[in-house]
Amino acid sequence: MSQIPDQLHRFIFENYEVRGELVQLNQTTKDILGGHHYPLAIQRLLSELLVATSLLTATLKFEGSITVQLQGDGPVRFAVINGDHQQRLRGVARYEGVIAENAGLHELIGKGHMMITVIPDEGERYQGIVALDGDTLAACLEGYFAQSEQLPTRIWLKTGLNEEQPKAAGMLIQAMPNSNSEQHALDFEHIVTLTDTIKSEELLDLPAEEVLYRLYHQEEVRLFDPQAVSFVCTCSRSRCEAALLQLGKTEVDALLEEHDEIRMDCDYCGTEYHFSASDVEKIYNDQLTPPETSQGVLH
Ligand SMILES: [Zn+2]
């Protein structure tokens, strides 16, 4: 097993107006895919989306979260990863039919788009929709950066298996704001050319410092303290209770008549929440304040 911890590394080049991120995710990938029995092609897609969301979340300049969702008319109805500024990530994919092992982005999603929702803890949410014009998820994300931040950005996403366990890693190289001279463009291209020599197995299996040394040993790179990345699901019994309150007593009573208990499953982590008639009665008697969103699906 790889000893590489799940971490996000930020770095800058001392002599260029260019910044970078490198993330390596073993346990988080395993946790997000675990228990879902996804076909291999979907494991790959979701792993790439996970790395992409981690890289994207690391560009947040405030506390909040980002949801990256792929949606289309293909066999994958949707794939979504949600992450916050503390690099706590979770995600899920829904699909139907048989999926070819080597199916790529367009075969999986069909005609569709990528929806990126930025939700600051304080302030207005922002949603960007990107057409899936690129051949790869990385190319589509680069399109998003070109459109939203207007900063030259390149992204590399790699996935693999380590003794049957999925693993994923990625890099992002971005021009600093206001670095728009011809020389800045050449500097950016220079770093991109160096980064492009990265091999999947290097990015997946080598410690971050070593990856950076191999790529940029002739450059001066300042590496900042890494940030831990983990799988965390934000579902809870109290969120389910709040959802039941929002549904309304009539609806909830109708469900109870049909099933004698209400079960809510979390799509992300698979936790089951059960509510009997007396549980529901207690919830309505306690009169909690309804929150903004709910998590589960009703069965
Ligand atoms: Zn959950």
Side-chain angles (χ1 to χ4, degrees), residues 113-139:
H113 58 263
M114 177 165 59
M115 201 160 68
I116 296 173
T117 314
V118 181
I119 308 154
D121 286 348
E122 284 171 30
E124 293 280 302
R125 67 167 59 193
Y126 162 83
Q127 198 163 63
I129 292 180
V130 192
L132 296 179
D133 289 336
D135 285 340
T136 60
L137 192 61

PDB file of all heavy atoms in Angstrom, residues 113-139:
ATOM      1  N   HIS A 113     -23.354  18.742 -19.864  1.00  0.00           N
ATOM      2  CA  HIS A 113     -22.575  19.889 -19.409  1.00  0.00           C
ATOM      3  C   HIS A 113     -22.045  19.651 -17.996  1.00  0.00           C
ATOM      4  O   HIS A 113     -22.441  18.697 -17.315  1.00  0.00           O
ATOM      5  CB  HIS A 113     -23.440  21.151 -19.440  1.00  0.00           C
ATOM      6  CG  HIS A 113     -24.667  21.033 -18.601  1.00  0.00           C
ATOM      7  ND1 HIS A 113     -25.900  20.684 -19.129  1.00  0.00           N
ATOM      8  CD2 HIS A 113     -24.855  21.163 -17.275  1.00  0.00           C
ATOM      9  CE1 HIS A 113     -26.787  20.618 -18.145  1.00  0.00           C
ATOM     10  NE2 HIS A 113     -26.179  20.906 -17.021  1.00  0.00           N
ATOM     11  N   MET A 114     -21.149  20.543 -17.612  1.00  0.00           N
ATOM     12  CA  MET A 114     -20.610  20.514 -16.260  1.00  0.00           C
ATOM     13  C   MET A 114     -21.149  21.745 -15.538  1.00  0.00           C
ATOM     14  O   MET A 114     -21.108  22.846 -16.095  1.00  0.00           O
ATOM     15  CB  MET A 114     -19.086  20.558 -16.330  1.00  0.00           C
ATOM     16  CG  MET A 114     -18.408  20.597 -14.993  1.00  0.00           C
ATOM     17  SD  MET A 114     -16.638  20.199 -15.121  1.00  0.00           S
ATOM     18  CE  MET A 114     -16.087  21.468 -16.224  1.00  0.00           C
ATOM     19  N   MET A 115     -21.692  21.518 -14.357  1.00  0.00           N
ATOM     20  CA  MET A 115     -22.253  22.625 -13.609  1.00  0.00           C
ATOM     21  C   MET A 115     -21.412  22.813 -12.345  1.00  0.00           C
ATOM     22  O   MET A 115     -21.228  21.868 -11.577  1.00  0.00           O
ATOM     23  CB  MET A 115     -23.688  22.294 -13.231  1.00  0.00           C
ATOM     24  CG  MET A 115     -24.547  23.470 -12.899  1.00  0.00           C
ATOM     25  SD  MET A 115     -26.279  22.990 -13.069  1.00  0.00           S
ATOM     26  CE  MET A 115     -26.415  21.831 -11.714  1.00  0.00           C
ATOM     27  N   ILE A 116     -20.893  24.013 -12.181  1.00  0.00           N
ATOM     28  CA  ILE A 116     -20.044  24.292 -11.022  1.00  0.00           C
ATOM     29  C   ILE A 116     -20.757  25.306 -10.144  1.00  0.00           C
ATOM     30  O   ILE A 116     -21.045  26.421 -10.586  1.00  0.00           O
ATOM     31  CB  ILE A 116     -18.663  24.804 -11.474  1.00  0.00           C
ATOM     32  CG1 ILE A 116     -17.958  23.700 -12.268  1.00  0.00           C
ATOM     33  CG2 ILE A 116     -17.829  25.251 -10.274  1.00  0.00           C
ATOM     34  CD1 ILE A 116     -16.669  24.103 -12.907  1.00  0.00           C
ATOM     35  N   THR A 117     -21.076  24.898  -8.912  1.00  0.00           N
ATOM     36  CA  THR A 117     -21.777  25.794  -7.996  1.00  0.00           C
ATOM     37  C   THR A 117     -20.846  26.164  -6.849  1.00  0.00           C
ATOM     38  O   THR A 117     -20.352  25.290  -6.143  1.00  0.00           O
ATOM     39  CB  THR A 117     -23.047  25.118  -7.437  1.00  0.00           C
ATOM     40  OG1 THR A 117     -23.748  24.513  -8.522  1.00  0.00           O
ATOM     41  CG2 THR A 117     -23.949  26.122  -6.764  1.00  0.00           C
ATOM     42  N   VAL A 118     -20.594  27.437  -6.716  1.00  0.00           N
ATOM     43  CA  VAL A 118     -19.736  27.935  -5.648  1.00  0.00           C
ATOM     44  C   VAL A 118     -20.648  28.510  -4.564  1.00  0.00           C
ATOM     45  O   VAL A 118     -21.466  29.391  -4.853  1.00  0.00           O
ATOM     46  CB  VAL A 118     -18.774  29.016  -6.178  1.00  0.00           C
ATOM     47  CG1 VAL A 118     -17.851  29.515  -5.066  1.00  0.00           C
ATOM     48  CG2 VAL A 118     -17.950  28.481  -7.346  1.00  0.00           C
ATOM     49  N   ILE A 119     -20.528  27.964  -3.354  1.00  0.00           N
ATOM     50  CA  ILE A 119     -21.418  28.401  -2.261  1.00  0.00           C
ATOM     51  C   ILE A 119     -20.579  28.962  -1.117  1.00  0.00           C
ATOM     52  O   ILE A 119     -20.074  28.209  -0.281  1.00  0.00           O
ATOM     53  CB  ILE A 119     -22.290  27.220  -1.762  1.00  0.00           C
ATOM     54  CG1 ILE A 119     -22.991  26.551  -2.954  1.00  0.00           C
ATOM     55  CG2 ILE A 119     -23.318  27.688  -0.733  1.00  0.00           C
ATOM     56  CD1 ILE A 119     -23.333  25.105  -2.726  1.00  0.00           C
ATOM     57  N   PRO A 120     -20.435  30.284  -1.047  1.00  0.00           N
ATOM     58  CA  PRO A 120     -19.704  30.863   0.082  1.00  0.00           C
ATOM     59  C   PRO A 120     -20.505  30.684   1.367  1.00  0.00           C
ATOM     60  O   PRO A 120     -21.733  30.658   1.317  1.00  0.00           O
ATOM     61  CB  PRO A 120     -19.609  32.363  -0.271  1.00  0.00           C
ATOM     62  CG  PRO A 120     -20.108  32.494  -1.670  1.00  0.00           C
ATOM     63  CD  PRO A 120     -20.976  31.318  -1.950  1.00  0.00           C
ATOM     64  N   ASP A 121     -19.816  30.519   2.505  1.00  0.00           N
ATOM     65  CA  ASP A 121     -20.523  30.417   3.788  1.00  0.00           C
ATOM     66  C   ASP A 121     -21.313  31.693   4.039  1.00  0.00           C
ATOM     67  O   ASP A 121     -22.373  31.669   4.649  1.00  0.00           O
ATOM     68  CB  ASP A 121     -19.527  30.187   4.935  1.00  0.00           C
ATOM     69  CG  ASP A 121     -18.991  28.758   4.917  1.00  0.00           C
ATOM     70  OD1 ASP A 121     -19.563  27.924   4.176  1.00  0.00           O
ATOM     71  OD2 ASP A 121     -18.005  28.482   5.614  1.00  0.00           O
ATOM     72  N   GLU A 122     -20.745  32.805   3.581  1.00  0.00           N
ATOM     73  CA  GLU A 122     -21.468  34.072   3.693  1.00  0.00           C
ATOM     74  C   GLU A 122     -21.494  34.713   2.323  1.00  0.00           C
ATOM     75  O   GLU A 122     -20.453  34.892   1.702  1.00  0.00           O
ATOM     76  CB  GLU A 122     -20.757  34.998   4.683  1.00  0.00           C
ATOM     77  CG  GLU A 122     -20.996  34.581   6.119  1.00  0.00           C
ATOM     78  CD  GLU A 122     -20.124  35.346   7.094  1.00  0.00           C
ATOM     79  OE1 GLU A 122     -19.795  36.508   6.788  1.00  0.00           O
ATOM     80  OE2 GLU A 122     -19.783  34.763   8.124  1.00  0.00           O
ATOM     81  N   GLY A 123     -22.683  35.045   1.858  1.00  0.00           N
ATOM     82  CA  GLY A 123     -22.769  35.707   0.554  1.00  0.00           C
ATOM     83  C   GLY A 123     -23.507  34.887  -0.470  1.00  0.00           C
ATOM     84  O   GLY A 123     -24.001  33.794  -0.183  1.00  0.00           O
ATOM     85  N   GLU A 124     -23.563  35.416  -1.666  1.00  0.00           N
ATOM     86  CA  GLU A 124     -24.357  34.846  -2.754  1.00  0.00           C
ATOM     87  C   GLU A 124     -23.678  33.638  -3.376  1.00  0.00           C
ATOM     88  O   GLU A 124     -22.465  33.628  -3.557  1.00  0.00           O
ATOM     89  CB  GLU A 124     -24.522  35.900  -3.857  1.00  0.00           C
ATOM     90  CG  GLU A 124     -25.364  37.088  -3.477  1.00  0.00           C
ATOM     91  CD  GLU A 124     -26.844  36.790  -3.569  1.00  0.00           C
ATOM     92  OE1 GLU A 124     -27.285  36.417  -4.677  1.00  0.00           O
ATOM     93  OE2 GLU A 124     -27.536  36.917  -2.541  1.00  0.00           O
ATOM     94  N   ARG A 125     -24.479  32.622  -3.724  1.00  0.00           N
ATOM     95  CA  ARG A 125     -23.896  31.502  -4.459  1.00  0.00           C
ATOM     96  C   ARG A 125     -23.754  31.871  -5.932  1.00  0.00           C
ATOM     97  O   ARG A 125     -24.432  32.770  -6.434  1.00  0.00           O
ATOM     98  CB  ARG A 125     -24.733  30.248  -4.296  1.00  0.00           C
ATOM     99  CG  ARG A 125     -26.119  30.297  -4.939  1.00  0.00           C
ATOM    100  CD  ARG A 125     -26.721  28.923  -5.004  1.00  0.00           C
ATOM    101  NE  ARG A 125     -26.850  28.303  -3.682  1.00  0.00           N
ATOM    102  CZ  ARG A 125     -27.111  27.019  -3.512  1.00  0.00           C
ATOM    103  NH1 ARG A 125     -27.244  26.231  -4.555  1.00  0.00           N
ATOM    104  NH2 ARG A 125     -27.248  26.523  -2.306  1.00  0.00           N
ATOM    105  N   TYR A 126     -22.832  31.189  -6.583  1.00  0.00           N
ATOM    106  CA  TYR A 126     -22.562  31.482  -7.976  1.00  0.00           C
ATOM    107  C   TYR A 126     -22.545  30.170  -8.743  1.00  0.00           C
ATOM    108  O   TYR A 126     -21.998  29.185  -8.255  1.00  0.00           O
ATOM    109  CB  TYR A 126     -21.207  32.197  -8.096  1.00  0.00           C
ATOM    110  CG  TYR A 126     -20.628  32.160  -9.478  1.00  0.00           C
ATOM    111  CD1 TYR A 126     -21.032  33.089 -10.437  1.00  0.00           C
ATOM    112  CD2 TYR A 126     -19.689  31.190  -9.848  1.00  0.00           C
ATOM    113  CE1 TYR A 126     -20.509  33.050 -11.719  1.00  0.00           C
ATOM    114  CE2 TYR A 126     -19.173  31.141 -11.127  1.00  0.00           C
ATOM    115  CZ  TYR A 126     -19.577  32.073 -12.054  1.00  0.00           C
ATOM    116  OH  TYR A 126     -19.069  32.021 -13.327  1.00  0.00           O
ATOM    117  N   GLN A 127     -23.189  30.162  -9.905  1.00  0.00           N
ATOM    118  CA  GLN A 127     -23.208  28.933 -10.684  1.00  0.00           C
ATOM    119  C   GLN A 127     -22.666  29.169 -12.093  1.00  0.00           C
ATOM    120  O   GLN A 127     -23.062  30.131 -12.747  1.00  0.00           O
ATOM    121  CB  GLN A 127     -24.631  28.419 -10.758  1.00  0.00           C
ATOM    122  CG  GLN A 127     -24.698  26.961 -11.166  1.00  0.00           C
ATOM    123  CD  GLN A 127     -26.051  26.365 -10.836  1.00  0.00           C
ATOM    124  OE1 GLN A 127     -27.062  26.782 -11.366  1.00  0.00           O
ATOM    125  NE2 GLN A 127     -26.076  25.392  -9.947  1.00  0.00           N
ATOM    126  N   GLY A 128     -21.758  28.325 -12.505  1.00  0.00           N
ATOM    127  CA  GLY A 128     -21.214  28.407 -13.858  1.00  0.00           C
ATOM    128  C   GLY A 128     -21.526  27.127 -14.601  1.00  0.00           C
ATOM    129  O   GLY A 128     -21.440  26.037 -14.027  1.00  0.00           O
ATOM    130  N   ILE A 129     -21.938  27.244 -15.860  1.00  0.00           N
ATOM    131  CA  ILE A 129     -22.222  26.047 -16.653  1.00  0.00           C
ATOM    132  C   ILE A 129     -21.251  25.995 -17.815  1.00  0.00           C
ATOM    133  O   ILE A 129     -21.067  26.986 -18.532  1.00  0.00           O
ATOM    134  CB  ILE A 129     -23.688  26.039 -17.125  1.00  0.00           C
ATOM    135  CG1 ILE A 129     -24.582  25.860 -15.898  1.00  0.00           C
ATOM    136  CG2 ILE A 129     -23.931  24.929 -18.145  1.00  0.00           C
ATOM    137  CD1 ILE A 129     -26.047  25.819 -16.158  1.00  0.00           C
ATOM    138  N   VAL A 130     -20.582  24.865 -17.946  1.00  0.00           N
ATOM    139  CA  VAL A 130     -19.570  24.714 -18.982  1.00  0.00           C
ATOM    140  C   VAL A 130     -19.994  23.588 -19.913  1.00  0.00           C
ATOM    141  O   VAL A 130     -20.350  22.498 -19.447  1.00  0.00           O
ATOM    142  CB  VAL A 130     -18.198  24.340 -18.362  1.00  0.00           C
ATOM    143  CG1 VAL A 130     -17.090  24.460 -19.390  1.00  0.00           C
ATOM    144  CG2 VAL A 130     -17.898  25.202 -17.148  1.00  0.00           C
ATOM    145  N   ALA A 131     -19.963  23.835 -21.194  1.00  0.00           N
ATOM    146  CA  ALA A 131     -20.254  22.782 -22.165  1.00  0.00           C
ATOM    147  C   ALA A 131     -19.118  21.766 -22.132  1.00  0.00           C
ATOM    148  O   ALA A 131     -17.976  22.111 -21.844  1.00  0.00           O
ATOM    149  CB  ALA A 131     -20.352  23.388 -23.559  1.00  0.00           C
ATOM    150  N   LEU A 132     -19.456  20.494 -22.383  1.00  0.00           N
ATOM    151  CA  LEU A 132     -18.411  19.469 -22.382  1.00  0.00           C
ATOM    152  C   LEU A 132     -17.752  19.420 -23.761  1.00  0.00           C
ATOM    153  O   LEU A 132     -17.859  18.435 -24.488  1.00  0.00           O
ATOM    154  CB  LEU A 132     -18.995  18.105 -21.995  1.00  0.00           C
ATOM    155  CG  LEU A 132     -19.566  18.001 -20.586  1.00  0.00           C
ATOM    156  CD1 LEU A 132     -20.134  16.615 -20.322  1.00  0.00           C
ATOM    157  CD2 LEU A 132     -18.509  18.343 -19.538  1.00  0.00           C
ATOM    158  N   ASP A 133     -17.089  20.516 -24.101  1.00  0.00           N
ATOM    159  CA  ASP A 133     -16.454  20.612 -25.419  1.00  0.00           C
ATOM    160  C   ASP A 133     -15.145  19.848 -25.486  1.00  0.00           C
ATOM    161  O   ASP A 133     -14.780  19.303 -26.509  1.00  0.00           O
ATOM    162  CB  ASP A 133     -16.176  22.087 -25.760  1.00  0.00           C
ATOM    163  CG  ASP A 133     -17.472  22.826 -26.039  1.00  0.00           C
ATOM    164  OD1 ASP A 133     -18.452  22.155 -26.413  1.00  0.00           O
ATOM    165  OD2 ASP A 133     -17.492  24.064 -25.867  1.00  0.00           O
ATOM    166  N   GLY A 134     -14.419  19.844 -24.383  1.00  0.00           N
ATOM    167  CA  GLY A 134     -13.108  19.183 -24.370  1.00  0.00           C
ATOM    168  C   GLY A 134     -13.246  17.674 -24.435  1.00  0.00           C
ATOM    169  O   GLY A 134     -14.307  17.127 -24.139  1.00  0.00           O
ATOM    170  N   ASP A 135     -12.165  17.009 -24.824  1.00  0.00           N
ATOM    171  CA  ASP A 135     -12.167  15.549 -24.885  1.00  0.00           C
ATOM    172  C   ASP A 135     -12.126  14.941 -23.492  1.00  0.00           C
ATOM    173  O   ASP A 135     -12.588  13.829 -23.275  1.00  0.00           O
ATOM    174  CB  ASP A 135     -10.945  15.050 -25.663  1.00  0.00           C
ATOM    175  CG  ASP A 135     -11.122  15.276 -27.151  1.00  0.00           C
ATOM    176  OD1 ASP A 135     -12.281  15.452 -27.587  1.00  0.00           O
ATOM    177  OD2 ASP A 135     -10.105  15.295 -27.865  1.00  0.00           O
ATOM    178  N   THR A 136     -11.513  15.660 -22.561  1.00  0.00           N
ATOM    179  CA  THR A 136     -11.332  15.126 -21.216  1.00  0.00           C
ATOM    180  C   THR A 136     -11.937  16.089 -20.193  1.00  0.00           C
ATOM    181  O   THR A 136     -12.201  17.251 -20.494  1.00  0.00           O
ATOM    182  CB  THR A 136      -9.832  14.988 -20.884  1.00  0.00           C
ATOM    183  OG1 THR A 136      -9.244  16.300 -20.966  1.00  0.00           O
ATOM    184  CG2 THR A 136      -9.121  14.059 -21.846  1.00  0.00           C
ATOM    185  N   LEU A 137     -12.089  15.573 -18.983  1.00  0.00           N
ATOM    186  CA  LEU A 137     -12.606  16.407 -17.903  1.00  0.00           C
ATOM    187  C   LEU A 137     -11.643  17.569 -17.635  1.00  0.00           C
ATOM    188  O   LEU A 137     -12.076  18.702 -17.385  1.00  0.00           O
ATOM    189  CB  LEU A 137     -12.763  15.535 -16.650  1.00  0.00           C
ATOM    190  CG  LEU A 137     -13.553  16.141 -15.510  1.00  0.00           C
ATOM    191  CD1 LEU A 137     -14.969  16.443 -15.943  1.00  0.00           C
ATOM    192  CD2 LEU A 137     -13.547  15.193 -14.323  1.00  0.00           C
ATOM    193  N   ALA A 138     -10.342  17.276 -17.695  1.00  0.00           N
ATOM    194  CA  ALA A 138      -9.334  18.324 -17.461  1.00  0.00           C
ATOM    195  C   ALA A 138      -9.514  19.461 -18.466  1.00  0.00           C
ATOM    196  O   ALA A 138      -9.503  20.637 -18.098  1.00  0.00           O
ATOM    197  CB  ALA A 138      -7.942  17.725 -17.553  1.00  0.00           C
ATOM    198  N   ALA A 139      -9.713  19.112 -19.729  1.00  0.00           N
ATOM    199  CA  ALA A 139      -9.887  20.132 -20.773  1.00  0.00           C
ATOM    200  C   ALA A 139     -11.151  20.955 -20.523  1.00  0.00           C
ATOM    201  O   ALA A 139     -11.161  22.179 -20.709  1.00  0.00           O
ATOM    202  CB  ALA A 139      -9.932  19.465 -22.147  1.00  0.00           C
TER     203      ALA A 139
END
